[in-house]
């Protein structure tokens, strides 16, 4: 993987109190009797066109504010989720890397985890304003102390809520956090090869680092060690002669070290956006600002390097699809320790 070791309320009618067109079950009404010599009456000002326009305005207001309304009305533990057509980026910067970075960076944190094996640095994605964060399991596995730092420099202590080593996912919760900017989770099923993407994370502890690229492949079967193997000397870290790259297997070949005997395989998005040690658990984002994946692994030609300075991105990075994350959230929130 890519971590770096450095040792509801009711609906309110917006038109309430305003005059509205009367509704008649027989529309339009039958014409009134008019004598032949009488002049034609003037057309009514509020007819079918006016009613249709009013309905269209209401529909647009509801449709445009659905994701925001759900998140705000139902509390801090609601995850903002949308299709990839939802635009988080301001219209003036839509489709730009700068726009994506500005909109999403406040929802990405740097994670520092300490364990008996040493310390590690990874990344995470804020999914609720109350401080729930999704990251990779390998970033926090075995940690006795976890701290997360937001883009504005605020540091929080965090606790593990649930883990799923089979999917390399973990959910942590910041203590005494509120009012945070939650990311919007997109729909990875709609991703196509060639789509532009942005990655945000903390490679080598350089928090808020932004890179960009494209989706270069879909449904890659990436095999990684589970938490059990991490506890058997597979915890990659400085000072252990193992290098800083997280090992993985693809196509029968092992990269960045030995994955061990206890492994798990998941379908991954492949990207050429630059990922380096410390990007693990960070966000892969579409150009509308929706999270479409959690960055989890990278290939480094350095192999079993002696330090992370020998490692580097060569355009082969992998991310866990966000639909996999969303399907696993209930299990993680329930305190899974798989």
């Amino acid at each position: 993987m890519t971590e770096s070791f450095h040792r509801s309320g009711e609906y309110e009618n917006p038109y309430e109190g305003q005059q509205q067109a009367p509704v008649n079950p027989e529309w339009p009404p039958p014409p009134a009797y008019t004598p032949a010599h009488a002049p034609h009456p003037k057309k009514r000002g509020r007819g079918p066109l006016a009613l249709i326009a009013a309905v269209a305005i209401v529909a647009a207001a509801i449709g445009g504010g659905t994701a925001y309304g759900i998140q705000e009305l139902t509390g801090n533990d609601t995850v903002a989720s949308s299709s990839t057509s939802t635009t988080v980026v301001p219209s003036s910067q839509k489709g730009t890397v700068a726009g994506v970075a500005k909109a999403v960076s406040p929802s990405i944190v740097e994670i520092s985890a300490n364990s008996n094996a040493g310390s590690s640095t990874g990344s995470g994605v804020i999914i609720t304003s109350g401080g729930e964060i999704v990251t990779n399991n390998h970033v926090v596995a075995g940690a006795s102390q976890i701290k997360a730092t937001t883009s504005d420099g605020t540091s929080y202590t965090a606790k593990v809520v649930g883990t799923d080593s089979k999917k390399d996912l973990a959910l942590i919760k910041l203590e005494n956090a509120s009012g945070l900017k939650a990311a919007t989770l997109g729909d990875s099923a709609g991703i196509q090869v060639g789509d532009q993407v942005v990655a945000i994370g903390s490679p080598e502890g350089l928090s808020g680092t932004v890179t960009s690229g494209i989706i270069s492949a879909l449904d890659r079967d990436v095999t990684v060690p589970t938490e059990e193997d991490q506890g058997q000397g597979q915890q990659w870290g400085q000072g252990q002669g193992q290098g800083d790259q997280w090992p993985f297997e693809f196509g029968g070949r092992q990269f960045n070290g030995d994955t061990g005997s206890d492994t798990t395989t998941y379908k991954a998005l492949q990207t050429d956006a630059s990922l380096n040690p410390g990007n693990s658990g960070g966000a892969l984002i579409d150009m509308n600002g929706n999270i479409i994946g959690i960055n989890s692994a990278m290939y480094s030609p350095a192999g079993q390097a002696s330090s992370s300075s020998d490692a580097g991105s060569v355009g082969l990075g992998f991310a866990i699809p966000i639909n996999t994350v969303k399907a696993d959230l209930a299990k993680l929130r329930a305190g899974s320790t798989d």
Side-chain angles (χ1 to χ4, degrees):
M1 297 297 171
T2 58
E3 84 279 25
S4 175
F5 292 82
H6 295 293
R7 329 120 242 168
S8 3
E10 295 182 351
Y11 172 75
E12 296 180 5
N13 184 357
Y15 298 96
E16 185 176 356
Q18 298 184 19
Q19 182 178 356
Q20 300 186 19
V23 178
N24 192 312
E26 298 181 3
W27 184 270
Y33 170 74
T34 305
H37 64 276
H40 291 291
K42 294 182 179 180
K43 293 182 179 180
R44 297 174 63 186
R46 298 179 67 88
L49 291 178
L51 181 60
I52 291 172
V55 172
I57 292 173
V58 173
I62 294 175
T66 299
Y68 175 83
I70 290 175
Q71 183 180 6
E72 291 302 311
L73 291 176
T74 56
N76 288 345
D77 291 334
T78 299
V79 178
S81 182
S82 74
S83 69
T84 53
S85 62
T86 299
T87 300
V88 180
V89 180
S91 58
S92 61
Q93 294 184 301
K94 184 178 180 180
T96 67
V97 175
V100 172
K102 183 176 181 179
V104 183
S105 289
S107 301
I108 312 301
V109 300
E110 177 182 315
I111 297 176
S112 299
N114 295 319
S115 68
N116 292 333
S119 62
S120 66
T121 300
S123 307
V125 179
I126 300 172
I127 62 170
T128 64
S129 60
E132 284 186 330
I133 292 174
V134 169
T135 186
N136 287 142
N137 178 59
H138 73 260
V139 171
V140 298
S144 57
Q145 183 181 45
I146 302 172
K147 288 189 176 181
T149 304
T150 58
S151 62
D152 64 1
T154 304
S155 182
Y156 296 90
T157 299
K159 299 292 184 182
V160 174
V161 176
T163 61
D164 187 345
S165 61
K166 298 300 182 184
K167 295 184 177 67
D168 195 18
L169 290 172
L171 182 69
I172 65 174
K173 180 74 160 55
L174 305 185
E175 296 183 344
N176 303 317
S178 62
L180 301 180
K181 183 174 182 179
T184 299
L185 308 187
D187 181 5
S188 51
I191 300 302
Q192 300 182 43
V193 172
D195 283 352
Q196 290 183 296
V197 290
V198 174
I200 304 179
S202 299
E204 301 293 358
L206 301 174
S207 60
T209 295
V210 177
T211 58
S212 65
I214 64 168
I215 295 293
S216 53
L218 302 173
D219 297 326
R220 291 297 200 199
D221 287 322
V222 175
T223 300
V224 297
T226 61
E227 181 178 352
E228 288 79 12
D229 263 359
Q230 292 178 39
Q232 298 172 15
Q234 296 286 346
Q235 183 106 359
W236 262 238
Q238 223 170 15
Q240 296 180 8
Q242 300 280 12
D244 284 345
Q245 306 95 306
W246 183 256
F248 70 94
E249 179 182 329
F250 175 73
R253 299 175 59 197
Q254 298 195 41
F255 303 94
N256 301 344
D258 183 9
T259 56
S261 59
D262 196 350
T263 61
T264 185
T265 301
Y266 58 82
K267 298 286 186 181
L269 302 173
Q270 181 179 307
T271 180
D272 69 350
S274 179
L275 300 180
N276 289 284
N279 274 113
S280 276
L284 191 66
I285 313 156
D286 68 17
M287 298 309 290
N288 289 323
N290 300 298
I291 311 299
I292 58 168
I294 299 297
N295 299 320
S296 56
M298 56 160 283
Y299 166 68
S300 171
Q304 292 198 29
S306 59
S307 70
S308 60
S309 62
D310 296 322
S313 173
V314 293
L316 287 173
F318 303 94
I320 302 167
I322 202 63
N323 285 7
T324 299
V325 178
K326 291 192 289 187
D328 212 34
L329 267 180
K331 179 180 179 179
L332 295 173
R333 280 176 161 171
S336 169
T337 55
D338 291 349

